[in-house]
Amino acid sequence: MRPSDDRCGSLPSPNTLCGSELWRRHRPRRLPPPGGRGRHSGGTARLRPLLLPERGQEAPGLLREHGRAMGRPRGAGRETVSCCDFGQAVQGPSMLELQSATLYMLRQTGYISTPAVSRLTPDEVVQMRNELFTKEKERQLSLHPRIEKIEVKYTGKPHPGTVFVMNKALSTPYNCAMHLSEWHCKNSVLAFVDGEVWDMYRPLTKSCEIQFLTFKDEDPEEVNKAYWRSCAMIMGCVLKRAFKDEYSVNLVKAPEVPVISGAFCYDVVLDNKLNDWKPTNDNFCSFTRDAKKLIYQDLPFETLHVEAKVAREMFQHNKYKMEMIERKAAQNMEGIVPLHRFGDFVDVSEGPHIPRTSFCFQYEITAAHNLQTDQSELIRRFQGVSLPVHLKAHHTVWHKLLERSKRLVTEEEYLETAEQCLEAKDGTEEGKHVSV
């Protein structure tokens, strides 16, 4: 027998009544107004009808309660959930039937719509991506239940030829650096694994040769690219969380621009309500403070190579990232997409990143420019500049870099510059070869 309540009596089966009939026959008693006289105050109860919003408006508190109740995971044993204010706790298999009847009634009266139920807040989207990232990482680790050994040969200085015996799919280049010296741990930005640029925290999958790259190498091009990507990802995380939930923020991409451009960038599409908004100096200072909080937390950049379907599930709420995922998946036969995470923020990346956020020292977000594109949405390019802890600059030089970083950075302009530099470099090498 189902439980009953003194206010409503026994509740008939929801299969015999539609949602509106169920509400009409078993609606809750009217409540006394706040501050009114009731039986607990010693006077006669003065009741007034419960005021409901007009059709198409949200009922305050109703959606949240239903979203919380229906989103609650089913656990072991008997489960109890309260449906609206029917005055009765429903147990057993009839819970889903009552939820269906309640949703039907709410949609009929216009108090709720289907998209509003499935819509996620920005924090929920971040949490969902973070959980999927962790789940996929654990799945990939489970593919190697048995620990296998690999040999990693170090080819750099000062101890070339050193061989490390490491764990396959578990050990990373950073673990190899720990066997060399503390200097290698603090200064190594990337690893060179069999001729391929490798993240310091990316697991090694086979026996290989390895060397480490730093900011003070003769050719720090790959290191500079990784540093610029990481700085842009930190800025993307800040922008995603800086605005209130009522304003949508869609991250488009972090353009690959060289360090000589003077600024790292991230393209963002803000809510249409903010089309006339122009960031002030106080806004940029606020962005910078949020970024420095992330830097001081010393968060590691984790890398994960996943199948395209996993990446699509993570970024299904962002059409720009979906396009980027398709492009990245088409670049290799396996359809693999590289992802990076620091803290709980996950993003699609163009390449390797620095080991930790604490590698950034001087960091500031300086400008935002409106881009002229063919798309209907207004795309803004946020820019910033940073120097690593290994290359600190005098405050006079730093202020000049800040002023330079405020100019609009375009990819086309610096692609031409890079081609000119490459041609000049080739010409110099050819001249040296001839002179020799």
Side-chain angles (χ1 to χ4, degrees), residues 396-420:
T396 304
V397 177
W398 175 244
H399 285 297
K400 291 183 178 180
L401 294 176
L402 290 178
E403 292 300 320
R404 181 186 177 189
S405 66
K406 296 179 182 179
R407 297 180 300 183
L408 175 62
V409 174
T410 58
E411 298 171 85
E412 294 78 9
E413 174 185 354
Y414 290 99
L415 283 175
E416 296 176 359
T417 304
E419 291 178 358
Q420 293 175 0

Side-chain angles (χ1 to χ4, degrees), residues 142-318:
S142 67
L143 299 178
H144 304 275
R146 181 180 177 183
I147 296 180
E148 302 178 23
K149 298 298 182 179
I150 58 175
E151 292 185 355
V152 180
K153 183 179 180 181
Y154 177 62
T155 59
K157 298 179 181 180
H159 305 290
T162 304
V163 177
F164 309 112
V165 178
M166 311 301 290
N167 297 323
K168 180 179 179 180
L170 290 176
S171 300
T172 65
Y174 183 81
N175 298 131
C176 297
M178 293 173 65
H179 289 284
L180 288 173
S181 67
E182 185 179 359
W183 184 92
H184 286 86
C185 294
K186 290 184 176 180
N187 293 274
S188 299
V189 183
L190 296 173
F192 218 51
V193 179
D194 286 343
E196 181 182 354
V197 181
W198 208 268
D199 295 85
M200 289 295 291
Y201 289 118
R202 180 181 172 186
L204 301 169
T205 57
K206 61 180 181 178
S207 298
C208 58
E209 294 184 352
I210 190 174
Q211 67 183 74
F212 299 104
L213 307 179
T214 69
F215 285 107
K216 297 185 178 181
D217 291 341
E218 294 182 2
D219 185 11
E221 180 180 0
E222 293 297 333
V223 172
N224 290 339
K225 287 181 180 179
Y227 185 74
W228 235 223
R229 289 189 203 105
S230 304
C231 292
M233 185 173 174
I234 293 174
M235 181 167 63
C237 176
V238 169
L239 295 174
K240 183 65 177 178
R241 296 175 173 174
F243 299 88
K244 295 181 178 179
D245 290 346
E246 59 189 278
Y247 302 111
S248 62
V249 179
N250 288 318
L251 302 180
V252 180
K253 65 175 181 177
E256 285 281 297
V257 294
V259 174
I260 59 174
S261 64
F264 53 83
C265 315
Y266 213 119
D267 295 347
V268 180
V269 174
L270 300 178
D271 196 287
N272 292 333
K273 303 174 185 176
L274 300 176
N275 283 348
D276 298 329
W277 172 70
K278 294 183 179 180
T280 63
N281 290 333
D282 290 339
N283 297 139
F284 289 124
C285 289
S286 177
F287 295 152
T288 301
R289 282 195 300 269
D290 293 342
K292 289 183 177 180
K293 290 179 182 178
L294 297 173
I295 291 172
Y296 294 153
Q297 291 180 32
D298 190 24
L299 301 171
F301 282 90
E302 304 173 71
T303 180
L304 190 66
H305 288 66
V306 303
E307 297 180 359
K309 63 179 182 180
V310 178
R312 293 190 199 101
E313 185 179 1
M314 289 186 186
F315 294 92
Q316 57 184 306
H317 301 87
N318 189 323

Side-chain angles (χ1 to χ4, degrees), residues 329-401:
Q331 294 176 359
N332 55 84
M333 297 295 294
E334 298 81 8
I336 300 299
V337 179
L339 304 178
H340 278 83
R341 175 177 72 173
F342 71 90
D344 59 358
F345 181 73
V346 183
D347 200 6
V348 185
S349 52
E350 292 288 351
H353 284 250
I354 61 177
R356 311 184 74 89
T357 57
S358 59
F359 271 53
C360 302
F361 179 67
Q362 293 165 296
Y363 187 105
E364 192 157 339
I365 299 175
T366 57
H369 300 279
N370 296 342
L371 300 182
Q372 302 295 332
T373 62
D374 298 334
Q375 301 185 16
S376 58
E377 297 93 346
L378 174 62
I379 298 181
R380 301 182 188 233
R381 175 161 293 180
F382 284 82
Q383 300 180 183
V385 66
S386 177
L387 287 176
V389 68
H390 311 85
L391 300 173
K392 302 175 184 178
H394 190 269
H395 66 88
T396 304
V397 177
W398 175 244
H399 285 297
K400 291 183 178 180
L401 294 176

Side-chain angles (χ1 to χ4, degrees), residues 67-68 116-131 245 314 317:
R68 182 179 62 83
V117 177
S118 60
R119 184 179 302 169
L120 298 179
T121 65
D123 290 339
E124 290 172 341
V125 171
V126 171
Q127 181 181 0
M128 179 268 294
R129 291 174 183 168
N130 184 47
E131 291 176 352
D245 290 346
M314 289 186 186
H317 301 87

